[in-house]
Amino acid sequence: MNSLNVNSFFAGIGGFDLGFERTGFTCSFICENNPFCNEVLNLHWPDVAKAGDINEVDSDSIPEADVWCGGFPCQDISVARGSLSRLGLKGSRSGLFHRFAELIEAKLPEVVLIENVAGLFNSNKGNDFAVILNTMNDLGYGVAWRLLNSRYFGVPQSRPRVYLCCWKGSPQRALSVLFEENTPSKASRERAAFITESTPKGKFPRVPQVGYCLAATSGRHTGTDWSRTYVTCKDGVRRLTPIECERLQGFPDNWTKVDGDSEDADSLRYAAIGNAVSVPVIEWIAKRIKDELENPSFSRLDDAVVSHHSFDGRHWIELPKVDSEHDRISWGKSGLMWKGRYIVAEHRELPCSPVKTDLFSIVEKHRAADRYYLTPNAAEGIIRRVDNNNRHLFPPLRKGLEALAAEKIREGASE
């Protein structure tokens, strides 16, 4: 078979591209509008054709490729803290999906892979997810979707994301990509991993087994965000370094280091890494897409009744019309759509052979630069917000923050 090609849109720092390349695909086209991300992309793919604003891309300029992939911006969809409104696909950024769909219609690639936040299931009362399914249905694609968590693919970060595999003319082939033949075993002690230590006894730095989901935030810290992952050291508490964040997403060290070593450069890196896809998850999916392209299990225009144990006993439902008048649409964490109907299941967020790792294995063991360490004011702010939200911190972190906050009290008493 000839070389398999992939085109990426909303490419960010190249997580899709790297994941597909690691499984034998050739990257033939990259579309990304962010200036810093383009610096990263030009560093790693200097000879690949590129485009900026997707609104200005002419479909004739896009090379042919077996797979198109993209994670259109999630800012209008995310349920992250601080979101005052969720415009969904009506927003200026997440609404770029519609332009993506126009380009898909013009070229009709065999496979389209989409990634987004889990909030896509319920934004605008579930209408946004209905828009995507209806759009891909109108273009003749069968769509399988599934919520997968990066923590089970080799990076110690809890990062649930929805992945949609859209296969032209065949729901079975889309299904074969995201669903294995067997049912994965239920994960145990999922919540406990956030407060269970992974550091060997007597060692530093001290960290839990699994970190929180990386967010697209700057490197600066004011003590307003308690649910970041922190590292407790002998001499204080610090946030993760950019290298550690790259590792949490499955990128090589210093993948995003293009603008030197400073706090401003860190902020660009943190934001870009937080917006990226987890490379190991993309590798897992890309390998299954490659296997299906090279050794198809079903005919491209398979119109048979789709069968898989995850959907046994489930009933097909007509796709809802896209409007704002109906009740909230409840989408399952996994499902399949074909010819205007869909079927859902609550499939687990891990593969049958999960790859486990722990946070201690990826944190840097040497002392980090001073700018990564929290101040007493920041420590006090985190503790206050944790207590106000009735939350529980990783015990060594709580102890380290209290020691820092006590410094502020001592400083005040000495004035």
Side-chain angles (χ1 to χ4, degrees):
M1 183 174 181
N2 294 330
S3 173
L4 297 173
N5 294 333
V6 60
N7 293 338
S8 68
F9 299 79
F10 318 108
I13 56 174
F16 277 109
D17 310 85
L18 182 59
F20 272 89
E21 277 198 347
R22 285 178 174 175
T23 58
F25 282 79
T26 297
C27 180
S28 55
F29 179 80
I30 299 175
C31 180
E32 171 55 50
N33 200 36
N34 180 280
F36 174 76
C37 290
N38 273 313
E39 288 187 61
V40 176
L41 295 170
N42 286 325
L43 174 66
H44 299 292
W45 289 280
D47 300 323
V48 173
K50 298 181 185 70
D53 186 350
I54 193 172
N55 290 309
E56 298 178 2
V57 174
D58 184 339
S59 61
D60 291 337
S61 69
I62 303 174
E64 296 296 323
D66 307 274
V67 182
W68 283 22
C69 55
F72 59 87
C74 64
Q75 286 86 346
D76 300 316
I77 288 171
S78 176
V79 294
R81 298 162 304 282
S83 295
L84 299 179
S85 63
R86 294 173 63 194
L87 297 174
L89 296 186
K90 299 176 183 176
S92 61
R93 302 196 67 180
S94 298
L96 292 173
F97 166 76
H98 297 295
R99 178 55 185 157
F100 186 35
E102 290 173 356
L103 294 175
I104 294 171
E105 182 177 17
K107 304 291 281 192
L108 294 177
E110 186 78 0
V111 187
V112 178
L113 178 64
I114 298 171
E115 178 264 5
N116 216 287
V117 294
L120 181 62
F121 285 135
N122 55 44
S123 88
N124 287 326
K125 299 196 302 183
N127 268 297
D128 288 341
F129 198 67
V131 166
I132 293 173
L133 293 185
N134 273 286
T135 300
M136 300 311 294
N137 176 71
D138 291 345
L139 296 178
Y141 286 83
V143 180
W145 74 87
R146 185 177 172 190
L147 194 71
L148 296 171
N149 195 318
S150 302
R151 67 187 289 183
Y152 302 115
F153 292 82
V155 289
Q157 172 199 184
S158 182
R159 191 179 187 85
R161 291 292 185 268
V162 58
Y163 297 85
L164 298 93
C165 180
C166 314
W167 204 294
K168 186 168 62 176
S170 180
Q172 283 280 20
R173 299 185 76 179
L175 182 147
S176 69
V177 170
L178 292 184
F179 294 87
E180 299 164 282
E181 291 184 6
N182 299 318
T183 301
S185 300
K186 184 178 181 181
S188 61
R189 295 174 54 81
E190 290 182 296
R191 292 183 180 275
F194 295 108
I195 57 173
T196 302
E197 189 160 7
S198 67
T199 305
K201 188 174 181 179
K203 298 283 188 179
F204 279 92
R206 302 182 71 178
V207 288
Q209 293 174 348
V210 174
Y212 293 108
C213 182
L214 288 180
T217 54
S218 74
R220 297 175 178 84
H221 196 287
T222 60
T224 59
D225 188 355
W226 60 267
S227 60
R228 293 192 195 184
T229 299
Y230 296 99
V231 180
T232 306
C233 306
K234 280 185 178 181
D235 56 352
V237 177
R238 64 171 176 83
R239 62 184 182 270
L240 295 169
T241 66
I243 284 179
E244 290 166 337
C245 291
E246 288 167 339
R247 293 172 181 173
L248 274 180
Q249 290 281 50
F251 289 95
D253 288 3
N254 288 316
W255 180 262
T256 58
K257 190 174 182 179
V258 294
D259 285 336
D261 189 20
S262 67
E263 190 164 346
D264 287 339
D266 283 349
S267 291
L268 293 171
R269 295 175 70 183
Y270 281 124
I273 298 165
N275 272 327
V277 294
S278 295
V279 178
V281 184
I282 301 304
E283 282 187 73
W284 186 85
I285 297 172
K287 182 181 184 303
R288 298 178 67 83
I289 290 176
K290 182 182 179 184
D291 289 346
E292 187 59 37
L293 284 168
E294 293 181 337
N295 303 290
S297 304
F298 305 92
S299 63
R300 191 179 70 81
L301 295 175
D302 187 343
D303 196 19
V305 176
V306 175
S307 60
H308 189 276
H309 59 82
S310 295
F311 303 101
D312 287 347
R314 306 277 179 161
H315 299 287
W316 289 88
I317 306 169
E318 293 293 321
L319 273 178
K321 294 181 179 179
V322 179
D323 56 48
S324 57
E325 302 300 324
H326 54 66
D327 294 333
R328 181 177 297 277
I329 307 168
S330 179
W331 298 105
K333 292 181 180 180
S334 59
L336 188 69
M337 185 281 299
W338 178 235
K339 289 195 171 181
R341 300 187 303 158
Y342 71 97
I343 189 170
V344 299
E346 295 300 321
H347 207 68
R348 292 170 182 149
E349 299 176 11
L350 67 165
C352 290
S353 299
V355 180
K356 295 184 179 180
T357 186
D358 60 78
L359 197 55
F360 183 75
S361 68
I362 68 102
V363 295
E364 297 184 85
K365 309 306 186 293
H366 59 78
R367 191 186 190 284
D370 289 343
R371 66 179 180 271
Y372 299 115
Y373 282 78
L374 302 187
T375 65
N377 278 338
E380 183 187 53
I382 293 169
I383 291 172
R384 182 171 64 253
R385 285 165 177 80
V386 166
D387 292 343
N388 288 343
N389 286 280
N390 196 30
R391 300 284 185 168
H392 298 283
L393 287 175
F394 172 55
L397 172 59
R398 176 82 193 206
K399 186 176 180 180
L401 291 173
E402 288 175 344
L404 257 180
E407 291 183 18
K408 180 178 179 180
I409 296 174
R410 286 195 297 270
E411 290 172 359
S414 63
E415 291 179 355

